[in-house]
């Protein structure tokens, strides 16, 4: 197996220096959606034909997923930076490297296709971002209902189709919660099952729509009725197809928030504006002017008013934008209440933002932010993907410079993040050698605090 390597230098030892008081202007291109690309890569296992995927973002999570697929016999040809051809003709059970599975929760997506194509699968329990418990009981329960026997042993999930049958069997599954990952796992398991499957209380995120569209191009029969019910009529085999990954709504949202926080005007494209409705509504409420033209969004911000947000499954406010939006509220006029309802530990950025002078009271995943006039640049280490983005946004608005570590998280989900910010005029630079522990900003007391927060 030829693995794709990550950056030559380890982003764990890199930092970005950001000079504050920044103003952004201009236009940037939004990359393909990480969360779509990951599941579409797994869905490509469902056919022996070639699958052509375009608009694949160049991210460390995607490189890990490609390496996972290669470890089970899949050939991946990189045509250019954003286009790949996947050939799963020689799919086998293989030995998926544990470290990749532990680092990437999306690795678990392979279980549905492996069960459908090979009748069995064995995967280490998945890992992912440091944002709290991320159970998989909805995935397991649904697969069992589709006719799989599943046992968890020594950190592995071993699955096989019951009674030596060749196909899973369609059924009615009602999810206990509208889990995005479980909905995707069960769709991929059910498309090749015998008979009809209904998934009720399914998640409605745009990435699920993207998955269904690609599978239907491959010959699957998936229909969505109303909102949270998915009807699948199993087929015997699927064909290859060409599919373009949808634009990343979370990357798009992060840049809109960065523009608002720095009182700037920027344009982003391509985007699917309806995927961003809940954020756009909150940005307008907080004082930004938003102009939508076809697949582009322009934002102009001259003031920031405090507004409240509460995360919710799509079409509600995305949990992935909660941390960046909190960074926007730091210098708002008045108070804002930010409530995280999806993940139990997605407030890692709060303590770090307070180190910059933010006034935030955090109780039970509810952050009450009182706007302040000024933030001070500090040396900070992000502990998960979106909290690191939040720190970068706060650093752009601070009075002096900051050094941000935790880039291994940022590189999981944002393609060319600092390059795009630089293009918009930010004074930002990745330092490949210096990190917080050996630079002149070092403050031992503060670093001890940060280490504690990072470890928590
Ligand atoms: C996906 C996204 C992630 C996003 C999240 C919510 C990917 C690769 N990641 O993650 O960026 O933040 O959706 O929009 O697409 N839960 C259970 N039991 C289960 C499964 C989930 O209780 O079996 C709970 C989780 O603990 C969490 C909530 O449901 O509290 C949402 O999780 P889920 O929708 O599954 O998120 P992911 O698919 O992991």
């Amino acid at each position: 197996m030829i693995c794709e390597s990550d950056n030559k230098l380890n982003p764990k030892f890199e930092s970005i220096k950001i000079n504050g008081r920044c103003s952004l202007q201009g236009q940037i291109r939004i990359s393909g959606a990480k969360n779509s690309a990951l599941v579409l890569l797994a869905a490509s296992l469902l056919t022996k034909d070639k699958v052509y995927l375009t608009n694949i973002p160049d991210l460390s999570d995607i490189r890990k997923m490609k390496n996972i697929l290669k470890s089970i016999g899949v050939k991946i040809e990189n045509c250019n930076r954003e286009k790949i051809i996947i050939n799963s003709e020689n799919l086998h059970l293989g030995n998926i490297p544990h470290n990749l599975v532990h680092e990437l929760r999306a690795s678990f997506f392979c279980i549905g296709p492996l069960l459908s194509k090979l009748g069995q699968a064995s995967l280490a329990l998945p890992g992912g971002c440091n944002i709290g418990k991320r159970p998989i009981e909805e995935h397991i329960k649904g697969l069992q209902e589709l006719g799989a026997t599943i046992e968890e042993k020594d950190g592995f999930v071993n699955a096989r189709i019951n009674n030596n049958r060749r196909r899973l069997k369609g059924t009615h599954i009602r999810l206990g919660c509208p889990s995005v990952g479980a909905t995707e796992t069960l769709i991929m398991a059910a498309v090749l099952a015998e008979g009809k499957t209904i998934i009720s209380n399914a998640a409605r995120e745009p990435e699920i729509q993207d998955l269904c569209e690609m599978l239907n191009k491959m010959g699957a029969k998936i229909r969505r009725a109303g909102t949270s019910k998915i009807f699948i009529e199993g087929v015997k085999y699927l064909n290859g197809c060409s599919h373009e990954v949808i634009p990343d709504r979370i990357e798009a949202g992060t840049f809109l928030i960065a523009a608002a926080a720095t009182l700037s005007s920027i344009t982003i494209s391509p985007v699917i504006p309806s995927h961003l409705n809940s954020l756009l509504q909150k940005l307008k409420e907080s004082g930004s002017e938003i102009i939508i033209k076809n697949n582009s969004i322009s934002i102009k911000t001259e003031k920031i008013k405090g507004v409240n947000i509460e995360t919710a499954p799509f079409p509600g406010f995305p949990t992935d934008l909660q941390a960046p939006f909190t960074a926007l509220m730091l210098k708002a006029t008045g108070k804002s209440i930010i409530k995280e309802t999806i993940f139990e530990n997605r407030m890692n950025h709060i303590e770090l933002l307070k180190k910059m002078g933010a006034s935030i009271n955090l109780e039970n995943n509810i952050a009450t932010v009182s706007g302040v006039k000024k933030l001070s640049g500090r040396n900070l280490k992000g502990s998960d993907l979106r909290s690191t983005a939040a720190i970068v946004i706060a650093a752009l608005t601070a009075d002096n410079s900051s050094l941000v570590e935790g880039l291994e998280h940022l590189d999981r989900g944002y393609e060319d993040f600092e390059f795009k910010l630089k293009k918009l005029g930010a004074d930002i630079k990745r330092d490949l050698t210096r990190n917080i522990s050996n630079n002149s900003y070092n403050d031992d007391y503060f670093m001890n605090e940060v280490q504690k927060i990072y470890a928590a």
Side-chain angles (χ1 to χ4, degrees), residues 4 29-44 51-67 69-70 76-86 210 214 241-248 251 270 411-416 420:
E4 285 191 43
R29 182 186 161 274
I30 297 302
S31 301
K34 166 181 87 83
N35 289 348
S36 252
L38 286 170
V39 72
L40 298 181
L41 280 165
S44 309
V51 173
Y52 297 77
L53 285 177
T54 52
N55 206 24
I56 294 277
D58 183 20
L59 299 167
S60 62
D61 270 11
I62 299 292
R63 286 190 288 274
K64 281 178 194 150
M65 192 65 172
K66 286 189 197 167
N67 285 334
L69 298 196
K70 287 178 185 173
I76 300 182
E77 196 183 318
N78 294 314
C79 302
N80 56 40
R81 196 167 169 215
E82 289 165 5
K83 179 175 177 186
I84 60 172
I85 304 173
I86 303 152
D210 203 20
M214 178 168 119
C241 75
S242 295
H243 188 77
E244 181 174 338
V245 178
I246 54 171
D248 195 312
E251 187 203 12
D411 292 348
R412 286 187 45 221
Y414 292 98
E415 186 180 49
D416 297 333
K420 288 181 182 178

Side-chain angles (χ1 to χ4, degrees), residues 165-318:
R165 291 170 62 101
R166 295 193 48 220
R167 292 170 75 190
L168 291 164
K169 197 160 177 9
T171 186
H172 187 167
I173 302 165
R174 190 182 161 78
L175 293 177
C177 64
S179 156
V180 177
T183 304
E184 292 166 335
T185 293
L186 298 174
I187 291 172
M188 288 189 281
V191 281
L192 287 178
E194 217 180 302
K196 291 183 182 155
T197 298
I198 300 173
I199 307 173
S200 307
N201 198 25
R204 292 188 275 158
E205 270 61 8
E207 294 74 23
I208 289 168
Q209 189 62 32
D210 203 20
L211 170 66
C212 293
E213 273 174 27
M214 178 168 119
L215 288 170
N216 281 343
K217 281 186 199 168
M218 292 165 77
K221 292 187 176 162
I222 310 173
R223 192 165 55 83
R224 307 202 65 167
T227 49
S228 55
K229 236 182 205 178
I230 301 176
F231 295 88
I232 302 168
E233 199 178 318
V235 293
K236 283 199 173 141
Y237 64 87
L238 294 174
N239 315 306
C241 75
S242 295
H243 188 77
E244 181 174 338
V245 178
I246 54 171
D248 195 312
R249 64 193 169 103
I250 305 302
E251 187 203 12
T254 304
F255 277 101
L256 290 174
I257 291 169
T262 52
L263 300 175
S264 304
S265 304
I266 67 163
T267 298
I268 58 168
S269 70
V271 286
I272 300 175
S274 60
H275 292 175
L276 284 151
N277 276 347
S278 58
L279 170 70
L280 296 179
Q281 196 186 323
K282 287 295 170 184
L283 286 171
K284 283 185 201 161
E285 223 181 282
S286 79
S288 292
E289 195 185 313
I290 304 281
I291 298 168
I292 298 174
K293 268 193 204 150
N294 304 321
N295 70 350
S296 78
I297 300 179
S298 301
I299 182 168
K300 183 175 174 195
T301 307
E302 286 173 351
K303 59 177 187 282
I304 311 168
K305 276 191 290 180
V307 294
N308 303 335
I309 60 158
E310 180 169 334
T311 62
F314 190 83
F317 193 94

